Amino acid sequence: MQRRPVILIMTSSGEIGGAAQTLAEAVRAEGTHNVVVLEESRYGVKTPGGLLDGVIAAIDEHRLLKSRGEEGEKKAERSKLKGTTRRVANAVKRYAPEIVLTVTPYAQAVFAEAKHKAGFAVPSVHIVTAFTLPKGDYVTAQANAYIVENADVKNDLSVNGVPSRHVMIMGLPYDIRKVTPIEIEAGKQDLGLPKTPTIFVSSAGGRETREILGLIADQGDIVNVVCCVNDVKELPALRARADGAETASNVVLATRKDLFDEYMLMSDVVVTRYDASVIYKCFRAGKPVIAYGLTETERGNIEYLVSQDLVMQAKNDIDIVALIYKLISGDLASHYGENGVKRTELYSLQNMANYLTAYISM
């Protein structure tokens, strides 16, 4: 039997929203290629776990920049990379991939270093899983091709020396099913949610989530709130805050990750710390988004989306409540929902998978 060609997907601790596995499933569904996902645990040094997604996303950028910083830091980082790049080279030799797809800046930097050291010629495609190009010396270890969400990222890459023909605008590698108003009504009933507007809080954990949960729950019977809990260690503190609200019965703390998307689909407004995967899914589902950022990178992405009339930005906790009332009291929710759908309707995971399986080095 003839061996199917292989696509090797490299990821690292900074991956957002399960991009590697989502893309692997999309490529496998095409039936033409085998897919191997190379986690950082299989090629890199051990990194801290349990960190917030936003913090983790910043780690990759810092590690990438550090490897090109002051000469002393550079040598130290490259010394750590020595075993890492050897393991990547061994994986390339073992799986003989047609292309290597990287879904974080750090994974791309490590692959580029391994490629340089080992001298193999396998092309790489890098996905920028953000709405703006990360700042810094990002394109030094250039991929052969890039997949980006929008034309502005493509232009920024071109300014940094990447030929525009090597950059494909194909959206982001996240998807969610579409639901009708009738399905939302039935879904709310199945999940035990009241008929009042549902506010979905994508929890980043920590103080800000407790405060946001409390502020929304304190609005009483006007709204109900679903807060997804990624780390069960946060549950007691969140429960205590919910129990102290005016109407604790209007609060759902969801711990089953397989139901997070379902709760989001049944919601009327989504409140989230910047997370490209959550925001992009909301665009596809037509959900209005209130987003806040704690880092410069997060705020930069949100400000870009605000300039495109795609999300509402909360600059502090109190802003969130005011923006919720704006969205549930008029036509603004429909306005933002429609803008999000228009933003994403031309892109699909299937098209992205087709591009990867048909890729020929340019």
PDB file of all heavy atoms in Angstrom, residues 303-330:
ATOM      1  N   GLU A 303      -8.015  46.733  20.197  1.00  0.00           N
ATOM      2  CA  GLU A 303      -8.163  48.050  19.573  1.00  0.00           C
ATOM      3  C   GLU A 303      -8.270  47.936  18.055  1.00  0.00           C
ATOM      4  O   GLU A 303      -9.011  48.687  17.413  1.00  0.00           O
ATOM      5  CB  GLU A 303      -6.989  48.945  19.976  1.00  0.00           C
ATOM      6  CG  GLU A 303      -7.084  49.417  21.427  1.00  0.00           C
ATOM      7  CD  GLU A 303      -5.768  49.924  21.992  1.00  0.00           C
ATOM      8  OE1 GLU A 303      -4.784  50.026  21.207  1.00  0.00           O
ATOM      9  OE2 GLU A 303      -5.709  50.199  23.206  1.00  0.00           O
ATOM     10  N   TYR A 304      -7.547  46.973  17.485  1.00  0.00           N
ATOM     11  CA  TYR A 304      -7.675  46.743  16.043  1.00  0.00           C
ATOM     12  C   TYR A 304      -9.093  46.293  15.704  1.00  0.00           C
ATOM     13  O   TYR A 304      -9.713  46.787  14.753  1.00  0.00           O
ATOM     14  CB  TYR A 304      -6.673  45.690  15.578  1.00  0.00           C
ATOM     15  CG  TYR A 304      -6.922  45.233  14.155  1.00  0.00           C
ATOM     16  CD1 TYR A 304      -6.533  46.018  13.073  1.00  0.00           C
ATOM     17  CD2 TYR A 304      -7.605  44.043  13.900  1.00  0.00           C
ATOM     18  CE1 TYR A 304      -6.799  45.622  11.769  1.00  0.00           C
ATOM     19  CE2 TYR A 304      -7.861  43.639  12.606  1.00  0.00           C
ATOM     20  CZ  TYR A 304      -7.462  44.434  11.541  1.00  0.00           C
ATOM     21  OH  TYR A 304      -7.747  44.048  10.258  1.00  0.00           O
ATOM     22  N   LEU A 305      -9.637  45.354  16.485  1.00  0.00           N
ATOM     23  CA  LEU A 305     -10.981  44.853  16.225  1.00  0.00           C
ATOM     24  C   LEU A 305     -12.035  45.936  16.443  1.00  0.00           C
ATOM     25  O   LEU A 305     -13.045  45.982  15.730  1.00  0.00           O
ATOM     26  CB  LEU A 305     -11.265  43.641  17.114  1.00  0.00           C
ATOM     27  CG  LEU A 305     -10.414  42.395  16.825  1.00  0.00           C
ATOM     28  CD1 LEU A 305     -10.684  41.314  17.858  1.00  0.00           C
ATOM     29  CD2 LEU A 305     -10.667  41.870  15.421  1.00  0.00           C
ATOM     30  N   VAL A 306     -11.803  46.816  17.414  1.00  0.00           N
ATOM     31  CA  VAL A 306     -12.712  47.956  17.622  1.00  0.00           C
ATOM     32  C   VAL A 306     -12.700  48.853  16.386  1.00  0.00           C
ATOM     33  O   VAL A 306     -13.751  49.321  15.925  1.00  0.00           O
ATOM     34  CB  VAL A 306     -12.315  48.753  18.881  1.00  0.00           C
ATOM     35  CG1 VAL A 306     -13.063  50.085  18.942  1.00  0.00           C
ATOM     36  CG2 VAL A 306     -12.597  47.936  20.141  1.00  0.00           C
ATOM     37  N   SER A 307     -11.518  49.083  15.824  1.00  0.00           N
ATOM     38  CA  SER A 307     -11.408  49.940  14.631  1.00  0.00           C
ATOM     39  C   SER A 307     -12.126  49.332  13.436  1.00  0.00           C
ATOM     40  O   SER A 307     -12.523  50.047  12.512  1.00  0.00           O
ATOM     41  CB  SER A 307      -9.935  50.179  14.280  1.00  0.00           C
ATOM     42  OG  SER A 307      -9.337  49.022  13.695  1.00  0.00           O
ATOM     43  N   GLN A 308     -12.321  48.015  13.456  1.00  0.00           N
ATOM     44  CA  GLN A 308     -13.027  47.324  12.381  1.00  0.00           C
ATOM     45  C   GLN A 308     -14.520  47.150  12.698  1.00  0.00           C
ATOM     46  O   GLN A 308     -15.242  46.496  11.954  1.00  0.00           O
ATOM     47  CB  GLN A 308     -12.399  45.938  12.165  1.00  0.00           C
ATOM     48  CG  GLN A 308     -10.917  45.961  11.827  1.00  0.00           C
ATOM     49  CD  GLN A 308     -10.641  46.632  10.489  1.00  0.00           C
ATOM     50  OE1 GLN A 308     -11.176  46.214   9.470  1.00  0.00           O
ATOM     51  NE2 GLN A 308      -9.803  47.650  10.490  1.00  0.00           N
ATOM     52  N   ASP A 309     -14.969  47.734  13.812  1.00  0.00           N
ATOM     53  CA  ASP A 309     -16.374  47.671  14.239  1.00  0.00           C
ATOM     54  C   ASP A 309     -16.816  46.226  14.473  1.00  0.00           C
ATOM     55  O   ASP A 309     -17.923  45.833  14.088  1.00  0.00           O
ATOM     56  CB  ASP A 309     -17.274  48.346  13.193  1.00  0.00           C
ATOM     57  CG  ASP A 309     -18.590  48.854  13.788  1.00  0.00           C
ATOM     58  OD1 ASP A 309     -18.652  49.041  15.015  1.00  0.00           O
ATOM     59  OD2 ASP A 309     -19.550  49.038  13.015  1.00  0.00           O
ATOM     60  N   LEU A 310     -15.952  45.461  15.148  1.00  0.00           N
ATOM     61  CA  LEU A 310     -16.219  44.035  15.358  1.00  0.00           C
ATOM     62  C   LEU A 310     -16.458  43.664  16.818  1.00  0.00           C
ATOM     63  O   LEU A 310     -17.147  42.684  17.100  1.00  0.00           O
ATOM     64  CB  LEU A 310     -15.050  43.202  14.818  1.00  0.00           C
ATOM     65  CG  LEU A 310     -14.910  43.174  13.293  1.00  0.00           C
ATOM     66  CD1 LEU A 310     -13.535  42.656  12.894  1.00  0.00           C
ATOM     67  CD2 LEU A 310     -16.007  42.314  12.675  1.00  0.00           C
ATOM     68  N   VAL A 311     -15.872  44.408  17.755  1.00  0.00           N
ATOM     69  CA  VAL A 311     -16.075  44.127  19.180  1.00  0.00           C
ATOM     70  C   VAL A 311     -16.236  45.448  19.930  1.00  0.00           C
ATOM     71  O   VAL A 311     -15.944  46.521  19.403  1.00  0.00           O
ATOM     72  CB  VAL A 311     -14.887  43.343  19.802  1.00  0.00           C
ATOM     73  CG1 VAL A 311     -14.601  42.062  19.032  1.00  0.00           C
ATOM     74  CG2 VAL A 311     -13.637  44.212  19.898  1.00  0.00           C
ATOM     75  N   MET A 312     -16.694  45.335  21.172  1.00  0.00           N
ATOM     76  CA  MET A 312     -16.727  46.477  22.080  1.00  0.00           C
ATOM     77  C   MET A 312     -15.643  46.259  23.126  1.00  0.00           C
ATOM     78  O   MET A 312     -15.477  45.132  23.618  1.00  0.00           O
ATOM     79  CB  MET A 312     -18.095  46.617  22.732  1.00  0.00           C
ATOM     80  CG  MET A 312     -19.231  46.771  21.734  1.00  0.00           C
ATOM     81  SD  MET A 312     -20.834  47.072  22.512  1.00  0.00           S
ATOM     82  CE  MET A 312     -20.771  48.853  22.718  1.00  0.00           C
ATOM     83  N   GLN A 313     -14.905  47.294  23.439  1.00  0.00           N
ATOM     84  CA  GLN A 313     -13.784  47.171  24.384  1.00  0.00           C
ATOM     85  C   GLN A 313     -14.174  47.709  25.746  1.00  0.00           C
ATOM     86  O   GLN A 313     -14.706  48.816  25.873  1.00  0.00           O
ATOM     87  CB  GLN A 313     -12.559  47.927  23.876  1.00  0.00           C
ATOM     88  CG  GLN A 313     -11.354  47.816  24.805  1.00  0.00           C
ATOM     89  CD  GLN A 313     -10.120  48.519  24.253  1.00  0.00           C
ATOM     90  OE1 GLN A 313     -10.231  49.358  23.363  1.00  0.00           O
ATOM     91  NE2 GLN A 313      -8.960  48.180  24.773  1.00  0.00           N
ATOM     92  N   ALA A 314     -13.919  46.909  26.780  1.00  0.00           N
ATOM     93  CA  ALA A 314     -14.105  47.346  28.161  1.00  0.00           C
ATOM     94  C   ALA A 314     -12.747  47.714  28.736  1.00  0.00           C
ATOM     95  O   ALA A 314     -11.853  46.876  28.777  1.00  0.00           O
ATOM     96  CB  ALA A 314     -14.756  46.237  28.976  1.00  0.00           C
ATOM     97  N   LYS A 315     -12.603  48.948  29.153  1.00  0.00           N
ATOM     98  CA  LYS A 315     -11.320  49.391  29.703  1.00  0.00           C
ATOM     99  C   LYS A 315     -11.245  49.196  31.207  1.00  0.00           C
ATOM    100  O   LYS A 315     -10.177  49.320  31.803  1.00  0.00           O
ATOM    101  CB  LYS A 315     -11.072  50.841  29.316  1.00  0.00           C
ATOM    102  CG  LYS A 315     -10.912  51.017  27.804  1.00  0.00           C
ATOM    103  CD  LYS A 315     -10.557  52.432  27.421  1.00  0.00           C
ATOM    104  CE  LYS A 315     -10.366  52.539  25.906  1.00  0.00           C
ATOM    105  NZ  LYS A 315     -10.064  53.927  25.467  1.00  0.00           N
ATOM    106  N   ASN A 316     -12.383  48.918  31.829  1.00  0.00           N
ATOM    107  CA  ASN A 316     -12.403  48.575  33.248  1.00  0.00           C
ATOM    108  C   ASN A 316     -13.642  47.729  33.529  1.00  0.00           C
ATOM    109  O   ASN A 316     -14.502  47.544  32.655  1.00  0.00           O
ATOM    110  CB  ASN A 316     -12.375  49.825  34.134  1.00  0.00           C
ATOM    111  CG  ASN A 316     -13.484  50.796  33.766  1.00  0.00           C
ATOM    112  OD1 ASN A 316     -14.658  50.436  33.789  1.00  0.00           O
ATOM    113  ND2 ASN A 316     -13.126  52.020  33.412  1.00  0.00           N
ATOM    114  N   ASP A 317     -13.761  47.202  34.751  1.00  0.00           N
ATOM    115  CA  ASP A 317     -14.854  46.294  35.078  1.00  0.00           C
ATOM    116  C   ASP A 317     -16.221  46.941  34.913  1.00  0.00           C
ATOM    117  O   ASP A 317     -17.159  46.321  34.394  1.00  0.00           O
ATOM    118  CB  ASP A 317     -14.692  45.786  36.525  1.00  0.00           C
ATOM    119  CG  ASP A 317     -13.457  44.911  36.707  1.00  0.00           C
ATOM    120  OD1 ASP A 317     -12.871  44.516  35.684  1.00  0.00           O
ATOM    121  OD2 ASP A 317     -13.083  44.636  37.858  1.00  0.00           O
ATOM    122  N   ILE A 318     -16.360  48.181  35.353  1.00  0.00           N
ATOM    123  CA  ILE A 318     -17.652  48.867  35.286  1.00  0.00           C
ATOM    124  C   ILE A 318     -18.101  49.036  33.846  1.00  0.00           C
ATOM    125  O   ILE A 318     -19.296  48.975  33.543  1.00  0.00           O
ATOM    126  CB  ILE A 318     -17.577  50.230  35.994  1.00  0.00           C
ATOM    127  CG1 ILE A 318     -17.217  50.049  37.474  1.00  0.00           C
ATOM    128  CG2 ILE A 318     -18.898  50.966  35.868  1.00  0.00           C
ATOM    129  CD1 ILE A 318     -18.222  49.227  38.261  1.00  0.00           C
ATOM    130  N   ASP A 319     -17.162  49.232  32.933  1.00  0.00           N
ATOM    131  CA  ASP A 319     -17.500  49.350  31.508  1.00  0.00           C
ATOM    132  C   ASP A 319     -18.302  48.150  31.019  1.00  0.00           C
ATOM    133  O   ASP A 319     -19.190  48.280  30.179  1.00  0.00           O
ATOM    134  CB  ASP A 319     -16.221  49.444  30.652  1.00  0.00           C
ATOM    135  CG  ASP A 319     -15.671  50.862  30.589  1.00  0.00           C
ATOM    136  OD1 ASP A 319     -16.326  51.768  31.131  1.00  0.00           O
ATOM    137  OD2 ASP A 319     -14.600  51.033  29.996  1.00  0.00           O
ATOM    138  N   ILE A 320     -17.966  46.969  31.531  1.00  0.00           N
ATOM    139  CA  ILE A 320     -18.600  45.745  31.051  1.00  0.00           C
ATOM    140  C   ILE A 320     -20.109  45.791  31.268  1.00  0.00           C
ATOM    141  O   ILE A 320     -20.897  45.472  30.374  1.00  0.00           O
ATOM    142  CB  ILE A 320     -17.980  44.513  31.734  1.00  0.00           C
ATOM    143  CG1 ILE A 320     -16.536  44.324  31.247  1.00  0.00           C
ATOM    144  CG2 ILE A 320     -18.810  43.254  31.472  1.00  0.00           C
ATOM    145  CD1 ILE A 320     -15.773  43.233  31.959  1.00  0.00           C
ATOM    146  N   VAL A 321     -20.538  46.218  32.462  1.00  0.00           N
ATOM    147  CA  VAL A 321     -21.968  46.282  32.757  1.00  0.00           C
ATOM    148  C   VAL A 321     -22.662  47.284  31.836  1.00  0.00           C
ATOM    149  O   VAL A 321     -23.725  46.997  31.262  1.00  0.00           O
ATOM    150  CB  VAL A 321     -22.202  46.658  34.232  1.00  0.00           C
ATOM    151  CG1 VAL A 321     -23.695  46.840  34.507  1.00  0.00           C
ATOM    152  CG2 VAL A 321     -21.627  45.586  35.153  1.00  0.00           C
ATOM    153  N   ALA A 322     -22.064  48.452  31.657  1.00  0.00           N
ATOM    154  CA  ALA A 322     -22.662  49.472  30.789  1.00  0.00           C
ATOM    155  C   ALA A 322     -22.782  48.973  29.351  1.00  0.00           C
ATOM    156  O   ALA A 322     -23.805  49.189  28.687  1.00  0.00           O
ATOM    157  CB  ALA A 322     -21.832  50.752  30.842  1.00  0.00           C
ATOM    158  N   LEU A 323     -21.759  48.285  28.874  1.00  0.00           N
ATOM    159  CA  LEU A 323     -21.782  47.773  27.499  1.00  0.00           C
ATOM    160  C   LEU A 323     -22.803  46.656  27.335  1.00  0.00           C
ATOM    161  O   LEU A 323     -23.446  46.535  26.280  1.00  0.00           O
ATOM    162  CB  LEU A 323     -20.382  47.293  27.096  1.00  0.00           C
ATOM    163  CG  LEU A 323     -19.313  48.393  26.990  1.00  0.00           C
ATOM    164  CD1 LEU A 323     -17.942  47.767  26.731  1.00  0.00           C
ATOM    165  CD2 LEU A 323     -19.665  49.382  25.896  1.00  0.00           C
ATOM    166  N   ILE A 324     -22.972  45.829  28.359  1.00  0.00           N
ATOM    167  CA  ILE A 324     -23.991  44.772  28.306  1.00  0.00           C
ATOM    168  C   ILE A 324     -25.376  45.393  28.112  1.00  0.00           C
ATOM    169  O   ILE A 324     -26.169  44.946  27.270  1.00  0.00           O
ATOM    170  CB  ILE A 324     -23.955  43.901  29.577  1.00  0.00           C
ATOM    171  CG1 ILE A 324     -22.727  42.974  29.552  1.00  0.00           C
ATOM    172  CG2 ILE A 324     -25.236  43.066  29.705  1.00  0.00           C
ATOM    173  CD1 ILE A 324     -22.506  42.210  30.841  1.00  0.00           C
ATOM    174  N   TYR A 325     -25.673  46.439  28.878  1.00  0.00           N
ATOM    175  CA  TYR A 325     -26.983  47.089  28.757  1.00  0.00           C
ATOM    176  C   TYR A 325     -27.168  47.691  27.368  1.00  0.00           C
ATOM    177  O   TYR A 325     -28.269  47.658  26.804  1.00  0.00           O
ATOM    178  CB  TYR A 325     -27.153  48.148  29.838  1.00  0.00           C
ATOM    179  CG  TYR A 325     -27.596  47.557  31.160  1.00  0.00           C
ATOM    180  CD1 TYR A 325     -26.705  47.415  32.217  1.00  0.00           C
ATOM    181  CD2 TYR A 325     -28.902  47.118  31.339  1.00  0.00           C
ATOM    182  CE1 TYR A 325     -27.100  46.850  33.416  1.00  0.00           C
ATOM    183  CE2 TYR A 325     -29.312  46.555  32.545  1.00  0.00           C
ATOM    184  CZ  TYR A 325     -28.409  46.423  33.583  1.00  0.00           C
ATOM    185  OH  TYR A 325     -28.807  45.852  34.765  1.00  0.00           O
ATOM    186  N   LYS A 326     -26.103  48.241  26.803  1.00  0.00           N
ATOM    187  CA  LYS A 326     -26.204  48.783  25.442  1.00  0.00           C
ATOM    188  C   LYS A 326     -26.559  47.686  24.441  1.00  0.00           C
ATOM    189  O   LYS A 326     -27.347  47.891  23.522  1.00  0.00           O
ATOM    190  CB  LYS A 326     -24.873  49.438  25.036  1.00  0.00           C
ATOM    191  CG  LYS A 326     -24.635  50.807  25.635  1.00  0.00           C
ATOM    192  CD  LYS A 326     -23.369  51.414  25.059  1.00  0.00           C
ATOM    193  CE  LYS A 326     -23.142  52.820  25.618  1.00  0.00           C
ATOM    194  NZ  LYS A 326     -21.917  53.442  25.043  1.00  0.00           N
ATOM    195  N   LEU A 327     -25.955  46.510  24.634  1.00  0.00           N
ATOM    196  CA  LEU A 327     -26.153  45.416  23.679  1.00  0.00           C
ATOM    197  C   LEU A 327     -27.529  44.761  23.805  1.00  0.00           C
ATOM    198  O   LEU A 327     -28.094  44.306  22.814  1.00  0.00           O
ATOM    199  CB  LEU A 327     -25.061  44.360  23.852  1.00  0.00           C
ATOM    200  CG  LEU A 327     -23.671  44.757  23.331  1.00  0.00           C
ATOM    201  CD1 LEU A 327     -22.621  43.751  23.790  1.00  0.00           C
ATOM    202  CD2 LEU A 327     -23.661  44.852  21.810  1.00  0.00           C
ATOM    203  N   ILE A 328     -28.066  44.684  25.002  1.00  0.00           N
ATOM    204  CA  ILE A 328     -29.339  43.974  25.175  1.00  0.00           C
ATOM    205  C   ILE A 328     -30.551  44.897  25.072  1.00  0.00           C
ATOM    206  O   ILE A 328     -31.694  44.420  25.096  1.00  0.00           O
ATOM    207  CB  ILE A 328     -29.385  43.217  26.526  1.00  0.00           C
ATOM    208  CG1 ILE A 328     -29.372  44.189  27.701  1.00  0.00           C
ATOM    209  CG2 ILE A 328     -28.271  42.203  26.604  1.00  0.00           C
ATOM    210  CD1 ILE A 328     -29.547  43.504  29.062  1.00  0.00           C
ATOM    211  N   SER A 329     -30.322  46.204  24.914  1.00  0.00           N
ATOM    212  CA  SER A 329     -31.447  47.140  24.914  1.00  0.00           C
ATOM    213  C   SER A 329     -31.750  47.737  23.542  1.00  0.00           C
ATOM    214  O   SER A 329     -32.637  48.578  23.428  1.00  0.00           O
ATOM    215  CB  SER A 329     -31.191  48.272  25.915  1.00  0.00           C
ATOM    216  OG  SER A 329     -30.022  49.003  25.549  1.00  0.00           O
ATOM    217  N   GLY A 330     -31.021  47.336  22.511  1.00  0.00           N
ATOM    218  CA  GLY A 330     -31.267  47.907  21.196  1.00  0.00           C
ATOM    219  C   GLY A 330     -30.824  46.973  20.087  1.00  0.00           C
ATOM    220  O   GLY A 330     -30.850  45.744  20.228  1.00  0.00           O
TER     221      GLY A 330
END
